[in-house]
Amino acid sequence: MPAQCNLIIDSCCELPREAWDQPGVFVLGLSFTFDGEEHIDDFFQAISAHDFYEAMRNGAAPSTSGASPREIERAFREAISAGVPAVYLAFSSGIDRKSTRLNSSHMTASR
């Protein structure tokens, strides 16, 4: 069944895997870096939650980065091309003051 509404989320939404595998759901994977090695937040598919938090307990301090403007634009264009309304849920810039995700998304959507 085709989606009646698209949902664009970033990976901070922590929806269960079965939710983001549905038609009309677009996930913007945020990235994090441990000791110079970049990883995409893929809901603990490539690195387990245990390994992630174990690394932090052992002193690793991850830094994070939002989805690229190119990835945001790709998700919006794909959602728009479906011809149904879209809802965008993102990590709040009020929680992460350095976050540019919301600004990048606003600029992309206005194009």
Side-chain angles (χ1 to χ4, degrees):
M1 180 168 113
Q4 294 181 8
C5 178
N6 291 307
L7 178 61
I8 304 169
I9 59 173
D10 66 32
S11 56
C12 287
C13 288
E14 299 292 334
L15 292 176
R17 174 73 189 223
E18 55 272 5
W20 53 275
D21 277 341
Q22 297 300 311
V25 176
F26 303 88
V27 179
L28 301 171
L30 308 181
S31 64
F32 62 94
T33 303
F34 269 140
D35 299 325
E37 186 176 345
E38 186 175 51
H39 304 271
I40 299 297
D41 180 3
D42 61 0
F43 299 93
F44 298 115
Q45 300 302 299
I47 181 172
S48 71
H50 175 269
D51 291 345
F52 179 86
Y53 291 109
E54 186 67 20
M56 289 180 65
R57 282 189 284 277
N58 291 327
S63 61
T64 60
S65 180
S68 71
R70 177 176 288 154
E71 185 178 358
I72 294 167
E73 182 174 358
R74 180 199 54 77
F76 272 83
R77 287 192 184 282
E78 197 170 330
I80 289 167
S81 71
V84 295
V87 174
Y88 176 53
L89 301 174
F91 194 64
S92 170
S93 60
I95 295 171
D96 180 0
R97 295 201 187 277
K98 296 184 285 185
S99 173
T100 59
R101 286 185 285 280
L102 195 54
N103 285 340
S104 292
S105 300
H106 281 199
M107 289 186 313
T108 300
S110 67
R111 282 195 246 166

